[in-house]
Amino acid sequence: MTTPQPLGTFQAVLLDMDGTLVDSDAVVSRVWRRWADRHGLDGDAVLKVVHGRQGHATMAALLPDRPAADNLAENVLMLAEETADMDGVTQVGGAAGFLASLTGRPHALVTSADAALSAARMAAAGLPLPAVRVTAESVSASKPDPEGFLKAAAELGFAPRDCVVFEDSEAGIAAGLAAGMRVVGVGPRALAHHPTVHVPTLKGLRVEPTDGGALTLRFG
């Protein structure tokens, strides 16, 4: 079965990591619930904000009166805490097969994690790191700002309209759409945020070339 008509063909794939390729929800919950406790915030409310954003952006949203320098400093500690905790980190269903279908085709990782955390989580999930990676250190603004996706498209050498984003979070989907890209929402978290196309899982999903040299998404 071919991809639904709204997606069409494309030239490059831009991949979020957490929630899209790697299931890190368990460690994210542990780390951010501890942070919420330290700051007297409700853990459930914090977890509604955290996905898809850099940590300091989450802190700024939840503690709007706190100086940005304090958020940046605490984010360094949070990243170290997350990098040291790989308990329960696994691949999202079908991620390995989907990444295998991208071998030799233009693709990039665009994540709000820093380089160390992204490398550790991909390794823990048994997934290969794409050669092109845009991590937290590479951008000046966190998702939902489109900077990361635009930077990845430029590094791959394609216009935004020729790229397809795979994302799971509200912030990430908003960033992809703001970049002028089509967005495939992955998993239950993505469904409420109006991606171009939604898939429940990466299982059976693959990227294949068309007769005209572009790429298309196929299921099953």
Side-chain angles (χ1 to χ4, degrees):
M1 176 180 176
T2 59
T3 182
Q5 192 63 34
L7 191 62
T9 60
F10 48 92
Q11 299 289 340
V13 173
L14 309 182
L15 300 155
D16 173 53
M17 181 182 72
D18 292 300
T20 301
L21 298 174
V22 174
D23 183 350
S24 57
D25 280 3
V27 62
V28 169
S29 179
R30 285 194 295 272
V31 169
W32 281 96
R33 285 186 185 280
R34 288 196 294 266
W35 181 88
D37 287 344
R38 291 197 297 270
H39 291 279
L41 299 174
D42 178 71
D44 290 341
V46 167
L47 289 175
K48 290 179 180 178
V49 178
V50 68
H51 294 290
R53 304 172 188 267
Q54 291 187 35
H56 64 84
T58 296
M59 294 173 192
L62 294 167
L63 300 173
D65 296 328
R66 193 163 80 147
D70 291 353
N71 294 333
L72 290 168
E74 190 170 25
N75 188 50
V76 172
L77 301 177
M78 293 284 286
L79 284 168
E81 191 176 350
E82 289 185 274
T83 304
D85 185 354
M86 293 294 128
D87 187 23
V89 174
T90 61
Q91 68 171 270
V92 168
F98 181 67
L99 282 173
S101 78
L102 291 172
T103 302
R105 314 195 195 287
H107 66 287
L109 190 72
V110 183
T111 175
S112 294
D114 66 2
L117 180 56
S118 59
R121 282 188 177 162
M122 290 288 280
L127 298 173
L129 275 170
V132 176
R133 300 184 287 278
V134 176
T135 58
E137 305 95 329
S138 309
V139 297
S140 61
S142 171
K143 299 172 187 175
D145 191 283
E147 180 186 357
F149 288 123
L150 292 171
K151 188 166 187 174
E155 189 164 347
L156 291 172
F158 294 100
R161 66 178 178 273
D162 294 324
C163 299
V164 166
V165 167
F166 284 74
E167 266 284 1
D168 74 300
S169 71
E170 180 179 13
I173 291 168
L177 294 174
M181 301 173 183
R182 289 158 287 174
V183 178
V184 179
V186 180
R189 192 155 48 224
L191 190 56
H193 304 302
H194 311 295
T196 312
V197 170
H198 177 262
V199 294
T201 176
L202 295 175
K203 290 180 180 177
L205 205 63
R206 64 189 185 277
V207 170
E208 293 183 351
T210 66
D211 291 340
L215 302 174
T216 190
L217 196 60
R218 295 190 182 274
F219 300 85

